[in-house]
């Protein structure tokens, strides 16, 4: 009888131990399911590195050309006496007193050159070149290709002044840009036979690319 009771107690104790063990195992499984392990943790994707090169900085921009290209573009030199031939022509109606002269410069060289300012024209024994007529001062230099011409007008007298006799005429282009000494004067062939009269009202126009631009101011004076 005692043996039976002890056996029954052992069986109940074994069942109780099994139940406790089963409950502990179930709790452990539940805990494991609720708390993800290292393998179950979601990892946010890393930010890709910024792209380098043109794709990141936008399209490449070409540098603007420098201002120093002007010297490399074949700038035209100023004309000298060696590049040009000169002539002086009477510009008055037949029978009128000579008061208007047209001076022409022709590029007789083999390359293009530029003329600027006004010719320095001295009428006979005048103390200096004829002043430039107001309103005819030239603007920018202009180019003369071989065979092309530049024009200037000369007014010999302003009227109502003491006159003097002109027997020769000299011309110079002056100092080119003030960077070199002026060339020796060129003696122009007289525009008429014998002498003509001049006074302190004499004037000259700046170099012009056409005959009309050079002579219109002179003939209206």
């Amino acid at each position: 009888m005692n043996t039976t009771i002890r056996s029954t107690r052992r069986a109940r104790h074994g069942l109780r131990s099994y139940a406790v063990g089963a409950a502990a195992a179930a709790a452990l499984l539940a805990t494991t399911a609720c708390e993800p392990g290292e393998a179950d943790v979601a990892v946010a994707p890393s930010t890709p590195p910024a792209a380098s090169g043109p794709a990141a900085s936008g399209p490449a921009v070409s540098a603007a050309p420098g201002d120093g290209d002007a010297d490399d573009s074949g700038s035209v030199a100023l004309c000298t006496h060696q590049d040009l031939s000169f002539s002086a022509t009477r510009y008055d109606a037949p029978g009128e007193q000579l008061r208007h002269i047209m001076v022409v410069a022709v590029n007789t060289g083999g390359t293009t050159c530029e003329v600027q300012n006004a010719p320095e024209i001295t009428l006979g024994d005048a103390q200096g070149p004829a002043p430039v007529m107001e309103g005819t001062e030239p603007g920018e230099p202009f180019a003369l290709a071989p065979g092309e011409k530049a024009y200037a007008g000369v007014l010999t007298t302003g009227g109502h002044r003491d006159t003097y006799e002109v027997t020769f005429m000299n011309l110079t282009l002056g100092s080119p840009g003030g960077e070199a000494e002026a060339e020796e004067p060129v003696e122009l062939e007289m525009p008429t036979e014998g002498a003509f009269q001049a006074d302190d009202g004499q004037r000259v126009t700046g170099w012009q690319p056409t005959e009309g631009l050079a002579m219109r101011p002179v003939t209206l004076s």
Side-chain angles (χ1 to χ4, degrees):
M1 172 114 184
N2 292 336
T3 301
T4 302
I5 294 170
R6 282 197 296 271
S7 297
T8 301
R9 289 177 177 172
R10 287 197 193 97
R12 290 177 179 174
H13 179 73
L15 289 174
R16 188 181 299 111
S17 298
Y18 175 78
V20 171
L28 179 61
L29 288 175
T31 303
T32 304
C34 294
E35 297 179 359
E38 292 180 0
D40 297 326
V41 175
V43 178
S46 61
T47 303
S52 60
S57 58
V61 178
S62 300
D67 296 334
D69 294 340
D71 292 338
D72 300 328
S73 63
S75 58
V76 180
L78 292 175
C79 298
T80 66
H81 290 175
Q82 287 69 37
D83 299 315
L84 307 172
S85 66
F86 304 95
S87 63
T89 304
R90 179 174 182 158
Y91 212 77
D92 299 288
E96 292 184 354
Q97 177 187 350
L98 188 152
R99 294 185 65 235
H100 311 101
I101 300 172
M102 180 174 68
V103 175
V104 180
V106 183
N107 183 350
T108 55
T111 58
T112 298
C113 61
E114 287 186 336
V115 291
Q116 67 175 3
N117 302 330
E120 296 181 354
I121 296 176
T122 304
L123 301 180
D125 293 324
Q127 296 299 311
V132 179
M133 181 176 287
E134 185 177 354
T136 71
E137 297 85 352
E140 295 295 322
F142 61 92
L144 292 181
E148 291 186 336
K149 301 176 180 179
Y151 302 84
V154 180
L155 177 67
T156 64
T157 63
H160 309 293
R161 306 186 188 198
D162 293 336
T163 61
Y164 66 96
E165 192 172 79
V166 176
T167 59
F168 64 94
M169 300 171 57
N170 287 334
L171 176 149
T172 180
L173 293 173
S175 175
E179 299 170 358
E181 292 183 5
E183 299 178 85
E184 289 296 320
V186 174
E187 186 169 347
L188 295 172
E189 186 175 348
M190 292 286 284
T192 185
E193 293 183 5
F196 62 88
Q197 300 296 307
D199 63 22
D200 289 342
Q202 61 188 263
R203 295 289 184 271
V204 64
T205 70
W207 288 117
Q208 302 294 340
T210 68
E211 177 181 334
L213 290 174
M215 298 308 300
R216 189 174 296 115
V218 169
T219 55
L220 293 176
S221 299

